[in-house]
Amino acid sequence: MTEQRTDHMKYMPGMEVLEDSDIGDRVIAAMKAYDYDKYTASDVKRALAAEYLSPDDFGALLSPAAEPFLEQIAERAKTETGKHFGNSVLLFTPLYIANYCENYCIYCGFNCHNKIRRAKLDSDAIRREMEAIAATGMEEVLILTGESRKMSDVRYIGEACRTAREYFKNVGVEVYPMNTDEYEYLHSCGADYVTVFQETYNSDKYETLHLAGHKRIFPYRLNAQERAIRGGMRGVAFAALLGLDDFRKDAFATGMHAYLLQRKYPHAEISFSCPRLRPIINNDKINPKDVHERQLLQVMCAYRIFMPFAGLTISTRERADFRDHVIGMCATKISAGVSTGIGEHSDENENEGDAQFEISDGRTLDEVIEGIRRRGLQPVLNDYVYIQ
Amino acid sequence: MEKNKKDTLVIGGHEFTSRFILGSGKYDPELIKAAVEHAGAQIITLALRRVNSFSGNILEHIPEGVTLLPNTSGARNAEEALKIALLAREAGCGSFIKIEVIHDSKYLLPDNYETAKACELLAKEGFIPLPYMYPDLNAARDMVNAGAAAIMPLAAPIGSNQGLATKQFIRILIEEIDLPIIVDAGIGKPSQACEAMEMGADAIMANTAIATAGDIVAMASAFRDAINAGRTAYLAGTGRVLDKASASSPLTGFLAD
């Protein structure tokens, strides 16, 4: 039985089209042209020696030819991180306020066919969560929802941002992609950066993973960061979920996406996240495209060297020791005191909804700060001022 | 990538094989033709003031097929630049125009703010504006947005022959601006022109260094060769050898899975 699915390249009613932008097309063209097997050791050496890296140099650092050079790549990344960020490491906490989702993404714990407990915090519960997080000393919060316009509408998210402004100096959102005027509204409510994971830049693969819902519309998601910048957001974050498809191509596309947008909007603050699907350990069928820690580090360092001024957030999905080693080397931002369930921060709130994924580093803010200090780095709770 | 294609300089939709733009000031007009030929130049700048003073004669010394790049020297603000550009068009000098807006008679440094405004005025009038500017990234972006077809940052004060005094800032323009970067003013020697090209500049504009040389024709040839050498080196990708992979892994020894 074949089911007729929505055309994933066709915008749904109400979705804003950026007629005047060619960024999405250019990213996809660059990714398609990226042939990582053509690079040699000498290309990698040249990239490592270049003062400013071209997209082609970035491609070389992501290639298999660069794998034997991982230590040198890490050294260069560490130098660049030091030059641009000194010893500082930024801290933040993600706060999940709802886990309703209208999308059917086959790899995600929140997907609409997964029978998990759904919840949406009301304004009092959100306030209690924020109070509890702020009481730990945290000054930056990232508000997350599942991707349901119906259950978590823009007003609801905006109100959460307003409350967050009372407790935190820096407020980000990681919610469903929206239109420019909606980003403008969230900015007026106090949010100043937007994270959207593209998951994979391969639209054919994307189509097979996102079977239903708004998220299925590939180009609308691809242009989210540009709409956010036009809506007045100070910063935008990019990520592919490495391992969904060919991670080298996805990492290259992620870098090019950030690179092209930064050239077009030089004032925008750029950052990367690096989530990955873990390979199955002890699997007989070893897949060369699996993203092990070595490959993850290669991607993170390549982002750092290609765009040395960009922020780079290390995911809570990674183990504590990995996270402690990559801060100061390539990562500049780390979460702490994380819970991916709904309503878990405050003792007064019931744990109302299930988590999106299991975290690998459950340390509190104090414990993470201690880990940062042990590495001779400086924990920074805020380096930012919100201007409306 | 670029290496396999025909390597041309494209400005405002026009294609050139030479990357040497020759100035026409400070010469005996008789020598211009020889200099152009030995420089292999396809573009020559021309101050409208000189067109007037020679009553058009200077044009006779410029070989056929060479593109004229009149400049707006004498303009102190954007409006004056526009007036001069319109006069140049009337004089039959074509659509290319090098914008020079200067209201500092001591150092002759270009005024970036008025230059960006002039770019906008001239682009709207259908010119192909090439702004001469002090290498400032924000100003260059303003000029790109205002309709510039190339950016012409100065290497050093005009006529100073001091070389690449602003090297690091020109380098930033080369990295960030998606238009040809033509290094203009201050280049005193072929080696300096070569250095700028090796760094990734798209073309060199020189005048005084050639016009004041002992042998103008020989110096024009030397510049041509230096510019070509620098370009070839840039396309070849300057090679540096790193140390071989180290046996210990102080930064990556922690990796698992």
Side-chain angles (χ1 to χ4, degrees):
Chain A
M1 191 179 77
T2 53
E3 197 181 334
Q4 197 63 38
R5 298 201 185 278
T6 320
D7 180 351
H8 69 294
M9 298 304 283
K10 199 172 154 201
Y11 283 73
M12 289 177 171
M15 287 181 170
E16 178 186 356
V17 184
L18 298 182
E19 301 278 8
D20 59 338
S21 176
D22 62 353
I23 296 280
D25 291 344
R26 291 171 68 191
V27 171
I28 301 307
M31 180 186 70
K32 285 186 174 160
Y34 176 52
D35 172 13
Y36 49 73
D37 285 328
K38 75 170 186 181
Y39 295 97
T40 63
S42 94
D43 295 321
V44 178
K45 287 181 188 174
R46 191 168 52 244
L48 278 172
E51 191 180 345
Y52 295 94
L53 270 75
S54 66
D56 199 46
D57 292 327
F58 174 52
L61 292 186
L62 284 171
S63 73
E67 287 195 354
F69 294 91
L70 188 58
E71 184 67 23
Q72 284 100 320
I73 291 172
E75 276 172 25
R76 171 76 192 265
K78 189 165 188 275
T79 305
E80 295 298 339
T81 304
K83 274 200 268 184
H84 289 265
F85 295 89
N87 286 331
S88 63
V89 180
L90 276 163
L91 287 145
F92 77 105
T93 285
L95 170 60
Y96 288 77
I97 59 172
N99 66 0
Y100 288 94
C101 194
E102 287 155 10
N103 299 296
Y104 185 17
C105 313
I106 57 177
Y107 54 87
C108 177
F110 275 179
N111 91 54
C112 64
H113 293 302
N114 222 7
K115 300 219 178 320
I116 60 168
R117 284 182 306 147
R118 300 285 171 176
K120 170 185 168 185
L121 299 180
D122 64 19
S123 57
D124 290 339
I126 288 174
R127 183 173 288 281
R128 282 196 295 274
E129 290 285 279
M130 289 179 177
E131 261 171 15
I133 293 168
T136 66
M138 194 63 85
E139 295 182 17
E140 176 173 338
V141 72
L142 174 64
I143 295 173
L144 296 100
T145 64
E147 297 200 8
S148 170
R149 263 184 183 270
K150 224 179 284 168
M151 295 304 291
S152 313
D153 63 23
V154 176
R155 293 268 153 206
Y156 170 71
I157 297 167
E159 286 311 309
C161 292
R162 276 191 216 282
T163 311
R165 285 291 309 154
E166 296 176 33
Y167 295 95
F168 303 98
K169 290 181 178 157
N170 195 356
V171 179
V173 288
E174 187 174 332
V175 297
Y176 47 84
M178 44 184 77
N179 292 344
T180 303
D181 58 343
E182 293 168 326
Y183 283 124
E184 207 173 332
Y185 168 71
L186 290 190
H187 181 253
S188 76
C189 295
D192 221 357
Y193 70 96
V194 168
T195 299
V196 180
F197 288 6
Q198 185 61 34
E199 318 297 11
T200 175
Y201 285 81
N202 175 353
S203 66
D204 293 340
K205 182 76 178 186
Y206 187 95
E207 187 269 331
T208 65
L209 297 169
H210 305 93
L211 301 182
H214 281 81
K215 188 169 173 180
R216 185 169 165 79
I217 310 307
F218 178 83
Y220 185 66
R221 196 170 189 87
L222 189 56
N223 287 318
Q225 282 90 349
E226 186 163 10
R227 294 192 302 272
I229 294 168
R230 291 185 185 191
M233 292 289 178
R234 178 180 296 235
V236 283
F238 301 81
L241 179 49
L242 302 173
L244 273 184
D245 193 46
D246 185 334
F247 78 90
R248 295 184 201 280
K249 286 212 158 215
D250 269 334
F252 186 73
T254 309
M256 288 307 296
H257 193 185
Y259 170 81
L260 291 170
L261 266 186
Q262 196 276 333
R263 283 180 90 84
K264 187 168 178 185
Y265 302 94
H267 61 279
E269 291 182 4
I270 302 295
S271 58
F272 293 103
S273 294
C274 303
R276 65 166 172 152
L277 288 181
R278 283 168 181 282
I280 298 163
I281 311 294
N282 302 326
N283 179 1
D284 290 341
K285 293 177 194 159
I286 294 171
N287 183 343
K289 288 176 182 168
D290 279 349
V291 188
H292 297 275
E293 284 190 356
R294 281 189 79 77
Q295 285 77 34
L296 178 62
L297 186 69
Q298 184 186 356
V299 169
M300 293 174 70
C301 290
Y303 287 157
R304 164 61 55 236
I305 301 169
F306 181 44
M307 296 182 74
F309 50 88
L312 204 161
T313 303
I314 174 65
S315 167
T316 322
R317 298 170 200 231
E318 302 304 332
R319 63 194 171 91
D321 190 52
F322 183 91
R323 301 176 91 219
D324 282 352
H325 275 89
V326 296
I327 50 172
M329 182 204 300
C330 49
T332 56
K333 196 168 181 178
I334 187 165
S335 54
V338 177
S339 157
T340 57
I342 312 296
E344 289 183 338
H345 288 278
S346 162
D347 292 340
E348 292 171 51
N349 287 340
E350 298 280 319
N351 175 357
E352 298 176 20
D354 288 337
Q356 185 182 23
F357 57 88
E358 276 188 33
I359 60 174
S360 298
D361 182 1
R363 289 177 296 172
T364 63
L365 175 59
D366 286 344
E367 287 165 341
V368 173
I369 283 178
E370 181 50 35
I372 292 170
R373 291 219 168 101
R374 262 204 310 275
R375 300 197 66 78
L377 299 167
Q378 181 198 5
V380 175
L381 292 165
N382 178 56
D383 70 344
Y384 158 89
V385 57
Y386 173 77
I387 303 161
Q388 191 158 356
Chain B
M1 297 198 322
E2 209 173 337
K3 294 170 203 170
N4 302 324
K5 286 194 198 153
K6 196 172 138 206
D7 181 40
T8 56
L9 171 67
V10 179
I11 306 173
H14 297 254
E15 208 171 351
F16 303 94
T17 50
S18 161
R19 292 176 178 272
F20 187 12
I21 298 174
L22 199 63
S24 67
K26 301 179 184 171
Y27 286 94
D28 178 339
E30 301 293 330
L31 281 172
I32 288 181
K33 188 166 184 284
V36 168
E37 282 168 2
H38 283 81
Q42 293 171 314
I43 304 175
I44 186 162
T45 66
L46 183 64
L48 190 70
R49 297 190 282 193
R50 293 200 54 169
V51 175
N52 291 338
S53 65
F54 282 89
S55 310
N57 280 350
I58 193 168
L59 298 173
E60 291 171 12
H61 296 279
I62 296 171
E64 283 280 308
V66 171
T67 300
L68 286 177
L69 179 59
N71 67 42
T72 64
S73 86
R76 290 160 301 180
N77 56 43
E79 286 73 25
E80 290 183 0
L82 176 61
K83 284 178 189 162
I84 293 171
L86 291 169
L87 287 172
R89 183 185 271 169
E90 286 297 306
C93 294
S95 298
F96 279 95
I97 190 110
K98 179 183 164 193
I99 300 179
E100 280 189 41
V101 183
I102 291 168
H103 55 80
D104 160 64
S105 58
K106 184 174 179 185
Y107 298 102
L108 301 174
L109 292 175
D111 178 329
N112 280 352
Y113 176 68
E114 288 292 330
T115 300
K117 286 206 293 185
C119 276
E120 188 171 5
L121 291 177
L122 269 68
K124 281 181 182 159
E125 288 291 335
F127 287 100
I128 301 171
L130 283 69
Y132 166 60
M133 53 96 69
Y134 190 86
D136 172 274
L137 177 59
N138 291 302
R141 284 180 174 144
D142 287 343
M143 291 169 200
V144 172
N145 292 335
I151 300 291
M152 302 182 76
L154 59 84
I158 192 162
S160 71
N161 282 0
Q162 286 171 0
L164 281 173
T166 59
K167 183 176 178 182
Q168 292 307 326
F169 301 94
I170 291 179
R171 173 116 210 211
I172 289 170
L173 299 188
I174 290 170
E175 290 301 319
E176 300 301 326
I177 300 294
D178 294 326
L179 286 177
I181 301 295
I182 303 167
V183 176
D184 185 1
I187 296 286
K189 294 188 263 188
S191 56
Q192 295 159 350
C194 184
E195 188 183 3
M197 292 302 292
E198 203 175 88
M199 176 167 89
D202 295 281
I204 300 291
M205 147 92 213
N207 182 10
T208 311
I210 292 154
T212 61
D215 181 338
I216 287 176
V217 168
M219 188 57 89
S221 304
F223 263 89
R224 179 198 61 208
D225 293 345
I227 289 166
N228 288 341
R231 179 65 184 174
T232 306
Y234 170 72
L235 292 178
T238 44
R240 276 184 236 167
V241 180
L242 287 176
D243 295 334
K244 61 185 170 61
S246 46
S248 66
S249 303
L251 288 178
T252 56
F254 69 94
L255 295 168
D257 81 24

